[in-house]
């Protein structure tokens, strides 16, 4: 073993010389306590330039690798890895590299660097199936050093590696298993991102309200919740890949991650329509309540030491501006969320399938948004505008939702002003469709939607014409700029009806 030690000392010395500046002139002296062997003494006395030292080191490494001494190979490989020279370890093509790495992995099975090096070596020598198995191990095994994103990258590489094999050698069951693991991992990553956002939001809330933190420390619950969030985030990032049930129960449902709950139910092909609608209601209420947390309410109302100036025009204008900003943020959050989930739950580029309509319940969505808009006295076209800005090709589905509300037996939706508002929104959706949306659709899909919308418009025109004189009077609605009479509603419907007929011919 003394010979191996002297070899490593010699290589170490060469390595130090290679790191000298190019213009160095002095020779490094032998350190105290060295044996003064021929190799180290000669190297200390030579005035080697860094490039010459690199060349000599390369020759020495190649000479050792060409030997049949397996222990010498192990010593050199160990030295290279201790210096972080993994590329050199692979490029030297030692016939004993795999044996060395597997020996090290038996001692340190959780070392991702060693396993990555083994994968690279197997990939280089063409052992694709073994390389894929190493990548799979990196993807599914809990590891503090690897992020979830890195592990998903390993899973994707494993799939590519298997697909690169000749068709006759591919194990289709194994490939399907890898693809399933990757899909689950991607769902876990979405869960991780959403949970990180919740944690960040909680931290910001506590930082904005020191009093809330002090109160929470007395009762203990906010601190415990924050610790639970930190632990959950860590487990999702560095723990094992979970199945759908574990992700839903232990994380999405526990921490109220509504988008993740919907996505997990979609992946599980859930048929529980009532549960899906309940999650949508919670999600929309969460989005619509943006900025109404106790902390924000405290800031808006003023503190005990600085009471608001009720008679101040400046204060009133500031509040109005803050409300407008908050409303705009709500709109942007709604548009982004609806667009994201609408595209996720689309089948064949649309929302016409039964599964898509179950997971993207436009009737429930329109009902909640219109109720919110009425409560906050928002413009009559507010909901259609939000839905239009999502750029989802689902105008006919939106009209179905409004048609359902117009024919609802609920007393709230039968109120004259509410009913008039719904008709305005109904026509606005059609006008948006004719103006921009229809031009973005393929011809067949456009004609199908036009035919469906035309049927809805015709039905409502017939219903309006058949109503009694009292119902006619009840349909009048005040929109702030004058009265919109029933005749005007019918005129707008007839106008879009004529346009639809021209398109439909």
């Amino acid at each position: 073993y003394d010979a191996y030690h002297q070899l490593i000392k010699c290589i170490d010395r060469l390595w130090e010389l290679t790191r000298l500046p190019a213009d160095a002139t002095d020779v490094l002296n032998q350190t105290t306590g060295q044996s003064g062997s021929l190799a180290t003494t000669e190297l200390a006395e030579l005035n080697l330039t860094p490039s010459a030292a690199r060349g000599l080191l390369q020759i020495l490494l190649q000479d050792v690798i060409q030997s049949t001494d397996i222990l010498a190979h192990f010593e050199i490989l160990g030295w290279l890895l201790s210096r972080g020279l993994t590329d050199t370890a692979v490029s030297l093509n030692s016939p004993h590299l795999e044996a060395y790495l597997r020996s090290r992995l038996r001692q340190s099975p959780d070392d991702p660097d060693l396993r990555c090096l083994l994968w690279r070596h197997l990939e280089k020598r063409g052992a694709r199936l073994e390389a894929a198995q190493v990548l799979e191990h990196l993807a599914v095994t809990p590891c503090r050093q690897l992020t979830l994103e890195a592990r998903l990258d390993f899973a994707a590489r494993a799939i590519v590696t298997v697909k690169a094999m000749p068709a006759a050698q591919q194990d289709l069951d194994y490939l399907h298993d890898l693809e399933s693991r990757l899909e689950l991992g991607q769902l876990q990553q979405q869960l991780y991102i959403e949970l990180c956002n919740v944690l960040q939001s909680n931290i910001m809330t506590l930082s904005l309200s020191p009093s809330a933190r002090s109160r929470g420390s007395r009762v203990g619950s906010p601190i415990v919740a924050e610790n639970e969030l930190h632990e959950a985030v860590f487990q999702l990032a560095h723990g094992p890949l979970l199945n759908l049930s574990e992700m839903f129960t232990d994380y999405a449902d526990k921490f109220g991650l509504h988008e993740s709950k919907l996505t997990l139910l979609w992946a599980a092909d859930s048929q529980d329509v009532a549960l899906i609608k309940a999650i949508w209601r919670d999600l929309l209420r969460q989005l619509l309540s943006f900025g109404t947390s106790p902390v924000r309410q405290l800031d808006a109302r003023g503190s005990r030491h600085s009471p608001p100036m009720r008679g101040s025009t400046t204060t009133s204008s500031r509040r109005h501006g803050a409300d407008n900003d908050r409303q705009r943020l709500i709109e942007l959050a709604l548009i982004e969320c609806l667009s994201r989930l609408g595209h996720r739950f689309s089948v064949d580029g649309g929302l016409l399938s039964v599964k898509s309509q179950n997971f993207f319940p436009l009737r429930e969505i329109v009902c909640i948004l219109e109720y919110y808009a009425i409560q906050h006295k928002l413009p009559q076209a507010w909901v259609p505008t939000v839905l239009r800005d999502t750029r989802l090709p689902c105008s006919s589905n939106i009209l179905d939702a409004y048609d359902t509300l117009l024919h609802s037996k609920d007393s709230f939706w039968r109120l004259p002003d509410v009913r008039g508002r719904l008709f305005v929104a109904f026509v606005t959706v059609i006008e948006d469709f004719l103006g921009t949306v229809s031009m973005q659709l393929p011809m067949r899909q456009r004609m199908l939607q036009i035919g469906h919308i035309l049927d809805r418009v015709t039905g409502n025109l017939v219903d309006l014409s058949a109503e009694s004189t009292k119902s006619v009077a009840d349909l009048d609605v005040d929109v702030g700029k004058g009265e919109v009479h029933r005749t005007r509603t019918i005129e707008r419907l007839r106008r879009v009806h004529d346009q639809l007929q021209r398109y439909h011919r």
Side-chain angles (χ1 to χ4, degrees), residues 333-455:
L334 280 171
I335 292 168
E336 182 183 358
C337 177
L338 293 175
S339 177
R340 181 169 56 249
L341 292 179
H343 285 101
R344 178 179 289 276
F345 298 147
S346 64
V347 176
D348 297 330
L351 295 167
L352 300 178
S353 69
V354 175
K355 184 178 180 181
S356 294
Q357 292 180 16
N358 287 341
F359 276 88
F360 198 77
L362 271 168
R363 295 181 183 181
E364 194 77 20
I365 294 169
V366 169
C367 179
I368 293 173
L369 294 184
E370 280 292 350
Y371 188 80
Y372 172 85
I374 293 169
Q375 279 188 320
H376 292 78
K377 299 179 181 179
L378 298 177
Q380 293 177 323
W382 183 76
V383 176
T385 302
V386 168
L387 295 174
R388 180 201 63 200
D389 290 345
T390 62
R391 301 185 182 277
L392 295 173
C394 56
S395 297
S396 61
N397 304 73
I398 298 173
L399 281 179
D400 288 343
Y402 275 107
D403 189 72
T404 301
L405 291 180
L406 285 168
H407 293 86
S408 173
K409 301 300 181 183
D410 190 310
S411 59
F412 176 78
W413 301 111
R414 302 300 299 176
L415 292 174
D417 54 343
V418 173
R419 190 164 162 77
R421 179 190 181 93
L422 294 178
F423 268 115
V424 172
F426 184 85
V427 176
T428 302
V429 173
I430 301 173
E431 291 173 344
D432 288 340
F433 173 79
L434 294 174
T436 56
V437 178
S438 63
M439 297 297 102
Q440 301 170 2
L441 298 175
M443 179 60 70
R444 175 175 172 77
Q445 190 175 354
R446 184 194 313 168
M447 297 308 295
L448 287 173
Q449 290 208 28
I450 287 175
H452 186 80
I453 293 172
L454 189 59
D455 291 341

Side-chain angles (χ1 to χ4, degrees), residues 42-227:
E42 289 179 350
L43 285 173
E45 294 174 353
L46 288 175
N47 188 14
L48 291 175
T49 63
S51 59
R54 283 195 296 271
L56 187 58
L57 179 60
Q58 183 179 5
I59 293 172
L60 180 57
L61 291 175
Q62 289 175 345
D63 286 344
V64 174
I65 292 300
Q66 289 173 4
S67 73
T68 58
D69 189 343
I70 186 172
L71 292 180
H73 282 247
F74 276 32
E75 290 289 339
I76 291 296
L77 292 171
W79 178 84
L80 288 171
L81 296 187
S82 69
R83 293 288 184 176
L85 302 174
T86 54
D87 291 339
T88 305
V90 175
S91 62
L92 283 174
N93 290 322
S94 169
H96 304 294
L97 176 58
E98 183 177 348
Y100 171 79
L101 292 174
R102 293 192 183 279
S103 174
R104 288 280 304 274
L105 283 170
R106 282 192 290 271
Q107 302 170 12
S108 306
D110 297 329
D111 190 332
D113 295 330
L114 290 175
R115 208 166 290 276
C116 283
L117 193 59
L118 177 60
W119 153 60
R120 290 174 57 190
H121 172 69
L122 293 171
E123 185 86 11
K124 185 175 181 179
R125 72 176 181 86
R128 296 188 181 277
L129 182 59
E130 295 177 54
Q133 291 169 346
V134 173
L135 287 167
E136 179 194 8
H137 188 280
L138 285 166
V140 303
T141 305
C143 181
R144 286 178 173 269
Q145 292 89 346
L146 294 177
T147 63
L148 181 59
E149 184 177 2
R151 291 162 61 192
L152 293 182
D153 181 66
F154 287 131
R157 288 176 182 270
I159 293 172
V160 172
T161 301
V162 173
K163 288 183 176 180
M165 298 170 62
Q169 299 178 13
Q170 289 184 10
D171 187 340
L172 297 182
D173 291 336
Y174 180 58
L175 179 60
H176 177 71
D177 183 58
L178 288 175
E179 291 172 339
S180 299
R181 287 177 182 270
L182 178 59
E183 291 175 2
L184 287 175
Q186 290 170 339
L187 292 173
Q188 185 167 328
Q189 186 180 36
Q190 178 184 336
L191 193 63
Y192 166 77
I193 293 172
E194 194 171 351
L195 195 59
C196 285
N197 292 336
V198 172
L199 178 60
Q200 185 66 25
S201 177
N202 283 9
I203 292 174
M204 291 179 63
T205 300
L206 289 175
S207 65
L208 289 173
S209 177
S211 59
R213 178 180 289 275
S214 62
R215 289 195 303 270
S217 62
R218 288 195 294 270
V219 298
S221 56
I223 303 300
V224 172
E226 188 175 340
N227 291 338

Side-chain angles (χ1 to χ4, degrees), residues 241-292:
L241 294 185
L242 306 172
N243 58 41
L244 292 174
S245 178
E246 290 171 332
M247 282 188 273
F248 188 93
T249 304
D250 298 339
Y251 294 93
D253 192 44
K254 179 179 179 180
F255 295 102
L257 308 179
H258 306 306
E259 281 196 47
S260 291
K261 285 193 282 186
L262 290 171
T263 305
L264 292 171
L265 290 175
W266 171 270
D269 291 326
S270 174
Q271 304 293 324
D272 194 339
V273 178
L275 175 60
I276 294 169
K277 288 184 177 180
I279 295 173
W280 266 105
R281 286 194 292 270
D282 292 338
L283 173 60
L284 291 174
R285 286 167 185 162
Q286 184 183 71
L287 292 172
L288 294 172
S289 64
F290 175 82
T292 58

